[in-house]
Amino acid sequence: MRFVSARYKHGDTEFSLDTNDKDSLLADNTGNINSAKKTDSSETEIKQSQISSETQKEDWIGQMFKAFDEGNLDAAKEALNIGQKAELDAQKKLRYQLVFHYFQFTKLNDSKALEELEKISRQETESSLAFYWLSMCSQHVRSYDKAKEYLQLSLEHASSDGERADRAHSLINLILDIDNPNAIDESIDIATKTLKEINKISQSPLYQALASIHEKDNNHLLKAVALEKALETNSNDADLVFNTAYAQAYFDKFSALALINYDTVLRTEPENSVAINNMGALADSLAMPIKSTQLYQESSEKNNTLAMANLAYKLLGQGFISEAEEIISKAQQQDDTHANVTKAASQIEENKEEENKKWDQLFDFGIKEKSFLQNFAEARFNSPEKPTSFDGHWKIRDVGFEIQEDNGKFTVIWGEGLGRRKLTGERKGEAAEITFYKPSSWNKESFDGGKSGLCYLSQDNKTIYIMVMDKENPDFLEFQS
């Protein structure tokens, strides 16, 4: 049999059917949380690979889809039988059958499909996946309470950690779509409970779900943190890396980390003009006109129209280094060259060197932020049932002080004179969002308006790691016990 493939997308759920792929017919949650348009959970889309008409005849999956589109149940059954006969794995045969019944219901409105799915759900080996497809059928007819019930059963019957994470992700997405008053709290409970039940390598879908939750409640900080944690065990997913970079750039305090993640996208997708344009926008926000213009130009050369628009706006400002160099080069070839030409040429090189140095420094900061946020996410979202408080004696640079929580809230002041510092926060799990203060410029006895930050307790409970957020120059501190 020749290799052919089809990809089926249903709302936030996507799965592949590959006739030669051992992992075919596994439900896979994509959870595209940055899409500009929210897709109705009953909406369906089929994407098939471009194959020759000769290959199409040999493709039982394509023939089954075609038969369903034409409303021909007998032809669809015939195509399924071809696939079943060619497949030796009994489990995969059953999974083919599940997808068949889903289309039987959604394309032909045949209620017998639901009866067959219910029968399969009573078979222990594929009960979780059968409940999943029953939920998809219920979502198709907008019976969301029933769909939720089936997904809860699918989660309960999941036979592996990876399957549990996927089912919990699907359930959370559905709860958020239904949008009941307690949707946020219910979703967080499911995510955090499931995190504690499964191994680390399977947790990425749950952190993606937490990102969706915090997008729903407009907490862009925790959304960016959760997505970074999702990358820890799923860094080869280019879409996830891009969405993480986008969320971190949107939050505006993680510019260095956003650059790292966009750069990671380009390592696997060097022609991704959107990532290049977005790096240009980040450089623009960091007051780096030369770097931003170079990136916009590179993206424009790949026919990205947003980058072209950004370049048009740049014409109103400064930073077109290539044009400046061309003009200087032309001027230097003239017989009577003005002294300012030499100064301008020198300034160009100085500006380029300064921005390149700043760019490299941002990448260094981004690497530190990546490690910090992944550890913070673990302490914030996946702490023990009884998390350790920050109470106790701590010191920084040999200056000692006490932390005493009051219902999780704490304030600590240390140092003297211009070295005096203040930190306030509220612990959740074994982490906290904080505000970090320095002495006021006009009165050293009072403090300035403060900067936002994050902190978390190390696993050995001996260090509190702190990051004071800044889009250009984050600061990293440690309290030692």
Side-chain angles (χ1 to χ4, degrees):
M1 182 181 293
R2 300 184 188 184
F3 179 83
V4 291
S5 67
R7 194 151 193 87
Y8 170 75
K9 186 175 181 181
H10 179 283
D12 287 332
T13 305
E14 188 173 301
F15 65 93
S16 63
L17 302 175
D18 294 333
T19 57
N20 290 352
D21 178 24
K22 66 180 181 179
D23 293 323
S24 62
L25 288 174
L26 286 171
D28 171 43
N29 296 287
T30 58
N32 184 4
I33 65 174
N34 283 319
S35 58
K37 179 182 178 183
K38 184 178 179 180
T39 307
D40 190 291
S41 55
S42 66
E43 187 178 326
T44 62
E45 179 187 352
I46 303 278
K47 296 178 181 177
Q48 288 180 266
S49 59
Q50 293 181 348
I51 52 180
S52 67
S53 58
E54 180 182 354
T55 304
Q56 183 94 25
K57 292 177 183 177
E58 299 176 21
D59 175 18
W60 69 267
I61 295 171
Q63 292 296 321
M64 184 177 74
F65 285 162
K66 183 173 182 290
F68 276 124
D69 285 337
E70 294 173 350
N72 190 335
L73 180 60
D74 289 337
K77 286 180 178 179
E78 184 178 343
L80 175 64
N81 287 335
I82 293 172
Q84 300 281 51
K85 288 177 182 178
E87 181 56 64
L88 299 178
D89 188 318
Q91 189 177 40
K92 288 177 71 173
K93 285 184 178 183
L94 196 57
R95 293 183 176 192
Y96 294 165
Q97 193 176 340
L98 289 168
V99 177
F100 172 88
H101 291 313
Y102 171 78
F103 281 103
Q104 181 184 358
F105 179 75
T106 58
K107 290 289 187 179
L108 305 183
N109 197 29
D110 187 347
S111 59
K112 290 181 180 178
L114 299 180
E115 297 173 10
E116 294 300 320
L117 287 171
E118 289 281 5
K119 286 181 184 177
I120 297 173
S121 73
R122 291 191 283 274
Q123 300 180 30
E124 189 61 33
T125 55
E126 290 301 325
S127 58
S128 177
L129 201 54
F131 284 127
Y132 173 85
W133 287 117
L134 281 164
S135 175
M136 293 296 102
C137 289
S138 297
Q139 290 184 53
H140 179 73
V141 293
R142 294 182 171 84
S143 180
Y144 294 121
D145 288 340
K146 193 66 177 175
K148 179 180 175 182
E149 180 183 329
Y150 280 130
L151 275 179
Q152 288 170 328
L153 288 169
S154 181
L155 175 58
E156 290 171 12
H157 287 78
S159 58
S160 69
D161 284 354
E163 199 172 61
R164 269 211 294 290
D166 284 339
R167 299 300 180 266
H169 191 186
S170 295
L171 178 57
I172 288 168
N173 283 342
L174 179 61
I175 291 170
L176 294 176
D177 282 345
I178 296 172
D179 202 21
N180 288 330
N182 64 338
I184 299 294
D185 291 339
E186 183 180 3
S187 297
I188 289 175
D189 286 345
I190 293 168
T192 53
K193 179 176 182 291
T194 311
L195 275 174
K196 290 175 171 56
E197 296 172 347
I198 67 175
N199 60 53
K200 186 172 183 177
I201 199 70
S202 303
Q203 291 176 351
S204 181
L206 294 171
Y207 284 109
Q208 293 177 61
L210 282 164
S212 297
I213 294 166
H214 290 300
E215 180 182 45
K216 189 82 172 179
D217 68 3
N218 292 314
N219 190 328
H220 297 290
L221 165 62
L222 291 184
K223 174 186 172 182
V225 169
L227 283 174
E228 184 59 49
K229 185 65 174 178
L231 282 184
E232 188 174 24
T233 55
N234 199 12
S235 59
N236 62 337
D237 184 336
D239 287 341
L240 177 58
V241 179
F242 182 95
N243 289 340
T244 302
Y246 184 91
Q248 290 162 347
Y250 184 88
F251 178 64
D252 196 44
K253 298 291 187 181
F254 298 140
S255 297
L257 184 52
L259 286 175
I260 286 283
N261 285 322
Y262 278 133
D263 186 66
T264 301
V265 172
L266 293 176
R267 292 188 178 195
T268 55
E269 299 180 355
E271 298 300 310
N272 191 320
S273 64
V274 181
I276 297 169
N277 172 78
N278 289 5
M279 289 180 79
L282 276 169
D284 230 347
S285 72
L286 294 164
M288 302 174 71
I290 297 172
K291 184 66 72 175
S292 65
T293 299
Q294 290 172 334
L295 289 163
Y296 287 149
Q297 287 173 332
E298 183 181 350
S299 182
S300 295
E301 289 166 2
K302 300 181 189 300
N303 298 318
N304 185 289
T305 55
L306 177 57
M308 294 176 189
N310 287 335
L311 271 176
Y313 282 115
K314 292 287 284 184
L315 286 171
L316 302 175
Q318 299 176 358
F320 279 78
I321 187 65
S322 60
E323 286 82 351
E325 288 175 326
E326 183 178 346
I327 292 169
I328 292 299
S329 177
K330 183 177 179 180
Q332 288 174 331
Q333 294 172 20
Q334 306 305 309
D335 293 334
D336 187 14
T337 304
H338 194 282
N340 281 3
V341 171
T342 302
K343 291 181 180 179
S346 176
Q347 188 65 52
I348 288 172
E349 293 306 315
E350 287 179 15
N351 288 0
K352 286 169 65 176
E353 184 178 347
E354 182 180 340
E355 286 198 11
N356 286 334
K357 182 178 179 181
K358 183 177 179 180
W359 193 251
D360 290 342
Q361 186 180 46
L362 284 166
F363 272 76
D364 290 340
F365 285 141
I367 291 170
K368 290 182 180 179
E369 287 179 342
K370 179 177 282 288
S371 175
F372 182 95
L373 288 191
Q374 289 178 353
N375 289 324
F376 172 86
E378 185 76 21
R380 171 66 173 77
F381 297 122
N382 197 20
S383 61
E385 291 289 343
K386 293 183 178 180
T388 304
S389 76
F390 292 170
D391 288 347
H393 183 80
W394 300 90
K395 63 181 180 180
I396 181 171
R397 302 186 188 95
D398 295 325
V399 177
F401 51 86
E402 299 289 328
I403 294 181
Q404 184 64 51
E405 293 184 8
D406 182 7
N407 292 322
K409 296 182 179 180
F410 58 91
T411 297
V412 57
I413 298 174
W414 71 93
E416 297 179 354
L418 294 176
R420 199 159 169 260
R421 300 290 184 266
K422 175 181 175 182
L423 186 148
T424 64
E426 181 175 3
R427 181 181 55 80
K428 292 187 178 180
E430 293 185 343
E433 296 177 39
I434 61 166
T435 305
F436 179 77
Y437 302 88
K438 291 183 178 181
S440 168
S441 58
W442 56 273
N443 182 0
K444 67 178 183 179
E445 297 302 319
S446 61
F447 291 97
D448 61 13
K451 283 187 173 183
S452 299
L454 305 170
C455 71
Y456 67 89
L457 184 65
S458 64
Q459 291 186 347
D460 63 6
N461 299 333
K462 293 182 178 180
T463 307
I464 296 177
Y465 293 99
I466 302 162
M467 179 175 70
V468 182
M469 295 184 291
D470 185 280
K471 67 186 300 179
E472 293 189 41
N473 190 22
D475 196 10
F476 296 88
L477 309 172
E478 295 180 13
F479 291 165
Q480 302 288 341
S481 62

